[in-house]
Amino acid sequence: MHNWQTAIKRHALLILLACLVGLAIDRLLLVLVLLLLVYGARNYYQIYRLYSWLAKDPERRPAEPPESGGIWGDIYDGIYRLQKQERQSKSYLENIINKAQESTAALEMAIVMVNKQGNLDWWNKAAETLLGFRYPQDINQSVVNLIRNPQFSDYFDSENYSETLKMEAPGDSNKVLEFQIALFGEQERLMIIRDITQLQRLANMRKDFVANVSHELGTPITVIKGYLEALLDNQDLLEPRWHKALDQMRQQSMRMENLVRDLLMLSSLETKTMSKNRQQIKLSSLIGEIENDTRQMFTDKSHTFINECNDDDTIVLGKRNELYSAISNLVVNAAKYTPAEGTIRLRTRDSEAGYLVEIIDNGIGIEKHHLPRLTERFYRVDGSRATDTGGTGLGLAIVKHILLRHEGELLIDSQYGKGSTFTCRFSHQRIIKAPESSEQGSADNSAPSPLNDQQKNSQPQKQNLH
Ligand code: ADP
């Protein structure tokens, strides 16, 4: 600003001087024209210097613009300053990009950026190994064309990425990949892909191990139980001091049998895929049956059962014996953990979130901090509680798995000392309304229903299918 004012003053003085000289020699116009020419030539020269400096190849151009005084000096300095700033931020950005590239190249997981058209923008080295992307041929290629798998295209197009997708690696059926997608910017996607072959192998080994051990334990337990029953039937022949021991042995062998049965059930739920052949199960009759069976098991506790499942036309699509097992687990739990004379309500209702089957008791309840962990295997609120009631700690894990297989979920609410509500929520796709209240396709009535003598005589047990 200071230079600008000085330049104006200097130009005004020059014009004044030219006017005086012009008047003195009586050639005012000529002197002014001459002055204008000199001024124009000087400015043209400065523009020419700036132009030739800018026109040079940036690599070879001198870092500093030409030197000059006055206004032009200020212009050159300003350009130099801007250029320096730009160079600094460019090298800063280059530095960050290099670091990001080096670090992502060192990652074992593949990272892929996909633009809003679904085409590849960028990927790291691991994406080339795991997914076979080639640089630069695949830049801007459609990701669903490169990863040709209907499971992947469905997941990619769903835009619901709350869960990850596990599938075979493209072109290598021995590898299992886990895909996770995050949306960012304007419908752009960041994909993170991990090789989980090893983890999957370990998980399968664990499942096989549990299934094999449970299976192998089945026969010895049956034999031991058989002999125990025989001994108990002939108690009179034994010395009285053996009676208590035998009774305890029978109880423990039953616990072991239940444990093995539940473990087998869990591993079969984990390994077997849900058959596409869905049965139509009338909920009200299924729940009625479960209520009756549970009543029989707990006659000594004189519970009041209130059955509010009246919509006879509601049918759930799935597997009858699995649903029997899930709901029965919850009703038996309600009876187990509700003291004598307590009330157990069974209710069905439709809601926006889905179709609900609620099992409500006014029993001992559960402290809030246990609720998130209740469906974990072997998790018990209180070890002694479970042992007293003959529980295995696997019941709710089984319920959770069964409901997941039926596109449902288990919701738990409880107040310590007041009671609990266990809710099975089924998605609306699984529910149909029957024109007539007949139960079709549920020929599979393999629900382990009528109680055997043992169960009647001993601690109540949940009835999980085999
Ligand atoms: P368990 O075979 O021990 O009953 P579950 O997985 O069925 O195992 O249940 C886990 C734990 O949750 C139980 O040990 C019990 O403490 C608690 N629980 C389940 N249902 C109820 C209920 N209705 N009221 C109170 N506690 C419950």
Side-chain angles (χ1 to χ4, degrees), residues 262 329-330 333-338 359 361 363-366 374-376 378-382 385-387 389-399 414 419-422 462:
D262 283 2
N329 257 302
L330 298 175
N333 268 353
K336 265 189 349 189
Y337 300 109
T338 300
I359 295 98
D361 67 59
I364 55 176
I366 308 158
L374 275 190
T375 54
E376 283 175 23
F378 297 112
Y379 187 84
R380 283 153 177 174
V381 170
D382 163 4
R385 210 203 248 195
T387 318
T389 53
T392 62
L394 292 170
L396 294 181
I398 292 175
V399 176
S414 188
S420 316
T421 301
F422 285 76
K462 295 174 198 174

Side-chain angles (χ1 to χ4, degrees), residues 51-211:
Y51 174 79
S52 6
W53 179 74
L54 285 174
K56 273 197 189 120
D57 179 358
E59 298 293 311
R60 281 194 242 140
R61 171 205 298 160
E64 292 183 23
E67 291 267 344
S68 181
I71 290 288
W72 279 102
D74 281 0
I75 291 173
Y76 291 147
D77 287 351
I79 290 175
Y80 180 62
R81 263 200 309 278
L82 283 177
Q83 213 191 15
K84 205 166 141 189
Q85 273 170 12
E86 195 213 69
R87 227 177 289 135
Q88 273 170 352
S89 51
K90 196 173 148 195
S91 87
Y92 175 72
L93 285 176
E94 270 175 3
N95 205 6
I96 290 196
I97 289 174
N98 285 343
K99 274 191 191 156
Q101 269 181 339
E102 276 166 28
S103 53
T104 52
L107 283 177
E108 277 180 19
M109 62 176 85
I111 300 180
V112 181
M113 277 186 193
V114 182
N115 63 20
K116 68 174 173 188
Q117 285 82 28
N119 299 338
L120 293 186
D121 255 355
W122 176 90
W123 58 87
N124 69 345
K125 262 248 150 315
E128 296 178 8
T129 330
L130 291 182
L131 304 165
F133 292 170
R134 292 154 311 152
Y135 181 83
Q137 297 95 308
D138 291 339
I139 285 257
N140 224 13
Q141 294 294 317
S142 159
V143 69
V144 286
N145 280 348
L146 292 172
I147 306 175
R148 280 189 176 274
N149 185 321
Q151 255 182 303
F152 176 75
S153 355
D154 288 350
Y155 179 63
F156 187 83
D157 295 335
S158 73
E159 296 197 6
N160 174 11
Y161 306 127
S162 52
E163 304 231 337
T164 57
L165 166 75
K166 293 185 186 81
M167 61 171 224
E168 277 178 10
D172 186 353
S173 55
N174 291 324
K175 257 190 203 162
V176 186
L177 301 182
E178 183 184 51
F179 288 75
Q180 190 164 21
I181 302 185
L183 281 166
F184 72 99
E186 290 176 26
Q187 286 296 100
E188 286 158 284
R189 291 171 176 89
L190 178 74
M191 303 203 321
I192 297 172
I193 302 106
R194 287 192 312 141
D195 182 350
I196 53 159
T197 317
Q198 208 57 23
L199 282 176
Q200 202 71 5
R201 214 167 276 159
L202 284 173
N204 289 343
M205 271 167 65
R206 180 184 60 80
K207 280 183 209 161
D208 289 350
F209 177 76
V210 173

Side-chain angles (χ1 to χ4, degrees), residues 209-233:
F209 177 76
V210 173
N212 289 338
V213 168
S214 318
H215 187 76
E216 292 303 321
L217 282 175
T219 319
I221 292 170
T222 315
V223 173
I224 293 171
K225 255 189 72 192
Y227 280 118
L228 278 172
E229 296 301 335
L231 282 172
L232 280 162
D233 286 347

